[in-house]
Amino acid sequence: MSNSSSIKEFQLLAFADTRELQLLYFSLFLGIYLAALLANGLIITAVACDHRLHTPMYFFLLNLSLLDLASISTTVPKSMANTLWNARAISSWGCIAQVFLYVFFMAAEYSLLTVMAYDRFVAICRPLHYGTLLNSRACVKMAAAAWATSFPYALLHTVNTFFIPLCQGNVLEQFFCEIPQILKLSCSGFYLREAGVIVVSLCVAFGCFIFIVVSYVQIFRAVLRIPSEQGRHKAFSMCLPHLAVVSLFVSTLVFAYLKPPSMSTPALDLVVAVLYSVLPPVVNPLIYSMRNKELKDALNKMIQLIIFQQK
């Protein structure tokens, strides 16, 4: 795919030069990765097995957990393997696959978060029509659309990125194949085509963001009209986890890709990449389960059943 067919592999960023620090970073990433697998795996299992959670909100949450697992599995295992074996290389095709899969999962997650905003809007602002507007068929179609529309988007980004001639070596200043770092290796002027795709992507992303903001303006107006304090508290509890996840997702990506070039340093870029690519898959399950009684009860029931079976 790449116009720079002479590049057989890329060199990823090494976290440390000494063996002790490499093992420390490996242990840290391993702990984070296992925590993400456990937390998201528990939510997926609880939603799938508990019939009380077979509702649109939890169906979308199951899809979100699947995407979180997939996105962190695209980047972290390769970085851990390189750190463990004191290596930095990733093959050209491995880099292409990593870019495609990561963009695909991130785009699908953002689309799904937009769909989840609509779910919360209908639940609070149109409760009498909730069963009609968000029946099982409609939920499956919306989730499928979030996954399916991300495929051509990821393919377009990947093709545009790797058809650009690369003249600046093969060293990427990041722990995974990140598009901005690959574009830094491009020949002068050839990155403009990908820049055009990024501008279009930003317009679409901004449109989704506006939809989420407008939905929550309507939601908060409806919640403030609820006469009882208990009703307002319940409505806010339904919305705040999703709002927190959206805020984390958007704020880290905006800072990563729209920060001024003068602020860009290898150390800061690395920290920001960890924040937007590694942190959300670990934190999202905690945000959703922290104040959700139904989900906590299902998780406690499942954990107690596992402990009982082991005895």
Side-chain angles (χ1 to χ4, degrees):
M1 181 181 293
S2 176
N3 254 359
S4 291
S5 57
S6 59
I7 297 181
K8 302 301 181 183
E9 65 180 23
F10 292 90
Q11 296 293 315
L12 299 175
L13 181 68
F15 282 106
D17 296 326
T18 63
R19 191 57 181 163
E20 291 78 10
L21 284 177
Q22 287 175 345
L23 294 176
L24 176 63
Y25 281 116
F26 171 79
S27 302
L28 179 62
F29 266 56
L30 178 62
I32 292 173
Y33 185 58
L34 292 178
L37 291 180
L38 177 62
N40 287 286
L42 285 173
I43 286 183
I44 291 169
T45 306
V47 173
C49 297
D50 195 324
H51 69 278
R52 295 173 300 175
L53 302 183
H54 291 176
T55 64
M57 181 177 74
Y58 295 109
F59 171 73
F60 293 133
L61 179 58
L62 182 148
N63 278 267
L64 182 66
S65 292
L66 287 172
L67 288 168
D68 281 336
L69 277 180
S71 65
I72 196 172
S73 297
T74 301
T75 58
V76 170
K78 178 59 179 177
S79 178
M80 287 194 303
N82 279 359
T83 303
L84 183 62
W85 301 112
N86 193 24
R88 295 180 58 189
I90 181 172
S91 68
S92 177
W93 282 105
C95 193
I96 291 170
Q98 199 174 70
V99 167
F100 172 80
L101 291 174
Y102 189 72
V103 173
F104 171 72
F105 293 131
M106 293 293 282
E109 181 161 340
Y110 190 51
S111 300
L112 187 67
L113 289 173
T114 306
V115 170
M116 293 172 78
Y118 175 72
D119 167 66
R120 295 300 82 206
F121 167 78
V122 176
I124 293 176
C125 299
R126 303 286 188 273
L128 298 178
H129 302 283
Y130 188 73
T132 303
L133 295 175
L134 285 162
N135 55 49
S136 57
R137 180 176 296 181
C139 291
V140 170
K141 286 182 178 179
M142 286 189 284
W147 287 78
T149 55
S150 301
F151 182 87
Y153 173 79
L155 185 63
L156 180 63
H157 265 300
T158 306
V159 170
N160 271 305
T161 299
F162 287 96
F163 266 131
I164 295 172
L166 305 180
C167 308
Q168 309 296 325
N170 67 339
V171 179
L172 302 176
E173 295 296 327
Q174 194 53 269
F175 73 94
F176 67 100
C177 289
E178 188 185 42
I179 289 179
Q181 296 296 330
I182 296 172
L183 294 180
K184 288 182 180 180
L185 306 179
S186 65
C187 303
S188 177
F190 280 97
Y191 64 87
L192 292 177
R193 184 173 58 183
E194 174 62 14
V197 175
I198 292 174
V199 169
V200 174
S201 302
L202 288 174
C203 293
V204 175
F206 185 71
C208 293
F209 179 73
I210 292 298
F211 178 85
I212 294 172
V213 170
V214 171
S215 297
Y216 271 99
V217 168
Q218 298 297 318
I219 287 170
F220 289 141
R221 288 176 60 185
V223 170
L224 293 175
R225 289 198 297 265
I226 297 176
S228 68
E229 183 178 349
Q230 184 179 2
R232 289 195 298 270
H233 177 75
K234 182 179 180 181
F236 276 124
S237 297
M238 292 170 61
C239 298
L240 290 181
H242 175 257
L243 192 58
V245 169
V246 171
S247 300
L248 177 64
F249 184 90
V250 173
S251 60
T252 52
L253 280 177
V254 166
F255 185 76
Y257 291 107
L258 298 182
K259 66 181 183 297
S262 58
M263 292 180 59
S264 183
T265 64
L268 180 61
D269 290 345
L270 176 61
V271 171
V272 172
V274 170
L275 288 178
Y276 80 75
S277 65
V278 178
L279 186 63
V282 181
V283 174
N284 287 351
L286 300 178
I287 293 175
Y288 269 101
S289 60
M290 194 174 297
R291 298 186 62 183
N292 189 310
K293 187 178 184 301
E294 290 180 331
L295 187 57
K296 283 197 294 187
D297 290 344
L299 290 172
N300 289 333
K301 180 180 178 182
M302 187 175 62
I303 292 172
Q304 289 173 2
L305 181 62
I306 293 173
I307 294 174
F308 177 77
Q309 289 178 343
Q310 288 180 344
K311 289 181 179 180

